[in-house]
């Protein structure tokens, strides 16, 4: 852990303004959710006048475990949107809790009610970068509710009455989307943050799974469910107890009862179930789950720096080892391919192991792989035996 101040000690809420997107850039481990639910609420006349937006259902369910939060109900929607009761009559909701909803739900309500959102004192946009990503992913859909949500937030900001606060560890997307309306709230440099003890780049995910210490506990991120399933199967072949979880709303790929149980266990306990030592996740968990305990490594199968930061942020603690996808990583030839004659079929197998790619991200053959090996410090001797060409790799 680096730094000494929690986020609530590193930020002054007096700096937060109306008429702008108040962007708070907060590293993993700084206490972002605690700050939002315990400190930012002071900017509202009451908890009922603060709205908290989150990107995923997983994130919403985790936040709803707090004592000061509740989901939006039909009664609440009637109260806020249809205005059947004066907004000032706080006694109607005696619990006085902050309502948590996803960006998509916010978009649904904004689409239904032209004035929805303008009557709050504070709107917190957690993982604001992810709300923007969902807007872009949904552009071809008939009802792009994340787009409606972001558009309504811009209108609310322009109204100059509601304080809109965006929270993220990766601000680039929010800064592009909100442009001149962004105000970067000052954050003390001594804010707390977790550490990555060691980073290791890799080019071949399969090789990492095959060689990793199966007694260690880790998390693996990849984007596609087909690959998630294949990686779980590969892990099982290596005697690694692995399971994958993804969105509960994925109707094309519904999770099994066991996957649902594991997901709920993580949400309830903020820990991996002890019977598993590898959890495979995708974007549905990228910004929304919290895991404490002894996670000894993470594998992030994405070259996107923002995604790498967000996935790492799922861990509440320092990380001993981070494996990061990097097609330019220094190649490591397995010992069994060193110092021996490699014929055509051997070179093909080695190419499949090393998975060297060109600048377009396409896999290359032996000629380009050989050049990369030489660039990385290997010596390659080429010869011919029985009318067959071979190569010998040495250091």
């Amino acid at each position: 852990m680096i730094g000494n101040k929690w986020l609530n000690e590193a930020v002054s809420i007096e700096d937060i303004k109306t008429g702008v997107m108040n962007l708070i850039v907060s590293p993993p481990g700084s206490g972002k959710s605690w700050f939002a639910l315990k400190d930012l609420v002071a900017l509202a006349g009451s908890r009922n006048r603060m709205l908290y937006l989150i990107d995923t259902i997983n994130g919403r369910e985790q936040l709803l475990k707090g004592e000061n939060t509740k989901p939006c109900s039909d009664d609440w929607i009637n109260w806020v949107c249809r205005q059947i009761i004066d907004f000032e009559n706080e006694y109607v909701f005696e619990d006085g809790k902050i309502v948590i909803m996803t960006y998509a739900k916010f978009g649904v309500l904004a689409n239904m009610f032209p004035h929805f959102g303008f009557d709050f004192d504070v709107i917190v946009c957690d993982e604001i970068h992810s709300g923007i990503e969902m807007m872009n992913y949904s552009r071809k859909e008939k009802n792009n509710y994340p787009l409606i949500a972001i558009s309504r937030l811009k209108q609310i900001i322009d109204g100059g009455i509601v304080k809109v606060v965006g929270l993220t560890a990766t601000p680039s997307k929010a800064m592009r989307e909100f442009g001149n309306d962004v105000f970067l709230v000052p954050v003390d440099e001594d804010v707390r943050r977790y550490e990555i003890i060691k980073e290791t780049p890799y080019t071949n995910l399969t090789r990492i799974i095959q060689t990793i210490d199966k007694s260690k506990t880790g998390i693996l991120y990849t984007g596609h469910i087909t690959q998630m399933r294949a990686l779980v199967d590969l892990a099982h072949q290596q005697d690694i107890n692995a399971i994958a979880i993804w969105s509960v709303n994925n109707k094309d790929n519904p999770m099994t009862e066991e996957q649902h149980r594991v997901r709920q266990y993580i949400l309830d306990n903020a820990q991996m179930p002890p019977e598993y030592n590898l959890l495979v996740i995708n974007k549905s968990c990228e910004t929304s789950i919290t895991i404490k305990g002894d996670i000894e490594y993470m594998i992030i199968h994405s070259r996107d720096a923002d995604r790498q930061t967000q996935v790492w942020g799922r861990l509440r603690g320092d990380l001993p080892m981070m494996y990061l996808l990097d097609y330019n990583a220094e190649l490591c030839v397995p010992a069994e391919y060193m110092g021996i004659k490699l014929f055509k079929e051997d070179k093909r197998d080695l190419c499949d192991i090393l998975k060297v790619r060109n600048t377009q991200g396409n896999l290359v053959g032996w000629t380009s792989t050989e050049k990369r090996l030489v660039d990385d410090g290997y010596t390659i001797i080429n010869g011919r035996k029985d009318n067959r060409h071979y190569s010998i790799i040495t250091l």
Side-chain angles (χ1 to χ4, degrees):
M1 175 71 75
I2 302 172
N4 297 302
K5 294 182 178 180
W6 293 105
L7 188 59
N8 66 326
E9 301 171 298
V11 171
S12 172
I13 62 173
E14 295 177 358
D15 290 331
I16 294 172
K17 309 174 182 180
T18 58
V20 295
M21 166 58 77
N22 294 275
L23 198 61
I24 298 178
V25 182
S26 167
S30 60
K32 177 170 49 103
S33 297
W34 176 273
F35 166 71
L37 296 173
K38 301 293 185 180
D39 289 77
L40 289 181
V41 72
L43 297 172
S46 72
R47 290 191 181 96
N48 283 325
R49 298 183 73 93
M50 175 170 158
L51 181 64
Y52 196 113
L53 304 181
I54 188 67
D55 53 338
T56 64
I57 292 174
N58 287 342
R60 184 194 66 190
E61 291 189 19
Q62 198 137 50
L63 287 167
L64 287 173
K65 296 185 183 300
E67 60 181 13
N68 294 327
T69 59
K70 67 178 180 181
C72 66
S73 63
D74 289 341
D75 286 342
W76 182 86
I77 293 172
N78 287 334
W79 175 57
V80 175
C81 302
R82 298 190 175 94
Q83 299 178 2
I84 60 174
I85 301 172
D86 189 310
F87 202 90
E88 295 297 331
N89 290 339
E90 304 278 344
Y91 66 84
V92 175
F93 290 94
E94 295 178 357
D95 55 8
K97 294 185 176 182
I98 301 165
V99 168
I100 311 291
M101 70 173 64
T102 63
Y103 286 98
K105 182 65 174 180
F106 181 74
V108 169
L109 294 177
N111 192 51
M112 293 172 61
F113 304 103
H115 299 291
F116 177 67
F118 290 93
D119 291 324
F120 293 100
D121 292 337
V122 182
I123 299 178
V124 176
C125 306
D126 201 354
E127 311 294 0
I128 180 63
H129 66 281
S130 191
I132 295 165
E133 285 181 0
M134 290 188 296
M135 171 188 78
N136 294 324
Y137 291 152
S138 305
R139 285 199 182 277
K140 294 183 180 180
E141 295 183 9
K142 181 179 180 181
N143 295 312
N144 187 339
Y145 291 120
L147 173 60
I148 296 171
I150 298 299
S151 298
R152 178 59 53 87
L153 287 172
K154 291 179 179 179
Q155 294 168 2
I156 292 169
I157 288 169
D158 289 342
I161 297 174
V162 184
K163 291 181 177 177
V164 181
V165 182
L167 301 172
T168 183
T170 51
S172 58
K173 292 182 177 66
M175 294 183 71
R176 285 196 300 269
E177 185 64 32
F178 289 91
N180 292 332
D181 287 334
V182 169
F183 169 63
L184 283 172
V185 179
V187 178
D188 195 299
E189 292 181 358
D190 198 31
V191 68
R192 293 166 62 101
R193 66 199 72 190
Y194 294 125
E195 288 186 88
I196 299 173
I197 308 303
K198 183 178 180 181
E199 290 187 5
T200 298
Y202 72 90
T203 59
N204 187 342
L205 179 56
T206 299
R207 188 71 180 174
I208 294 291
I209 298 297
Q210 290 173 334
T211 57
I212 206 158
D213 187 342
K214 63 184 179 183
S215 68
K216 293 185 176 181
T217 301
I219 297 172
L220 190 160
Y221 171 92
T222 189
H224 304 288
I225 291 177
T226 300
Q227 189 173 36
M228 295 172 78
R229 286 173 165 153
L231 290 169
V232 168
D233 290 341
L234 177 62
H236 289 164
Q237 295 170 19
Q238 309 302 315
D239 294 324
I240 298 173
N241 294 324
I243 191 165
I245 58 172
W246 50 78
S247 173
V248 295
N249 285 336
N250 193 316
K251 294 181 173 57
D252 294 330
N253 297 281
M255 289 194 295
T256 65
E257 184 176 330
E258 174 64 3
Q259 287 174 297
H260 279 284
R261 184 193 71 80
V262 168
R263 171 185 174 273
Q264 195 59 50
Y265 183 95
I266 293 170
L267 292 176
D268 289 342
N269 300 282
Q271 290 185 335
M272 282 177 55
E275 62 271 28
Y276 292 102
N277 59 350
L278 178 60
L279 176 68
V280 182
I281 63 172
N282 66 357
K283 186 170 174 53
S284 67
C285 298
E286 172 191 319
T287 60
S288 56
I289 63 170
T290 295
I291 296 182
K292 303 174 184 177
D294 296 326
I295 301 299
E296 296 165 281
Y297 67 91
M298 277 189 173
I299 306 170
I300 303 181
H301 198 59
S302 170
R303 291 185 291 166
D304 185 279
D306 285 359
R307 182 135 300 139
Q308 292 171 355
T309 299
Q310 292 298 334
V311 176
W312 167 44
R314 298 313 90 222
L315 177 62
R316 293 299 182 262
D318 294 336
L319 180 63
M321 174 65 79
M322 173 80 85
Y323 295 93
L324 295 174
L325 177 62
D326 182 357
Y327 293 146
N328 294 316
E330 184 173 310
L331 301 179
C332 181
V333 178
E336 59 268 29
Y337 287 86
M338 295 288 292
I340 64 171
K341 293 183 177 66
L342 302 177
F343 294 96
K344 182 178 180 180
E345 58 273 20
D346 304 311
K347 297 174 188 177
R348 184 175 60 244
D349 291 343
L350 182 57
C351 286
D352 189 52
I353 291 172
L354 297 178
K355 293 194 182 301
V356 176
R357 296 176 184 264
N358 58 22
T359 54
Q360 289 76 43
N362 300 317
L363 289 169
V364 300
W366 173 250
T367 301
S368 296
T369 298
E370 181 181 27
K371 184 178 183 305
R372 271 287 306 277
L373 287 169
V374 172
D375 290 343
D376 286 350
Y378 288 91
T379 298
I380 299 180
I381 301 171
N382 293 304
R384 186 171 181 148
K385 180 182 180 181
D386 298 333
N387 208 29
R388 298 177 66 200
H389 293 279
Y390 66 80
S391 299
I392 299 176
I393 304 173
T394 60
L395 275 173

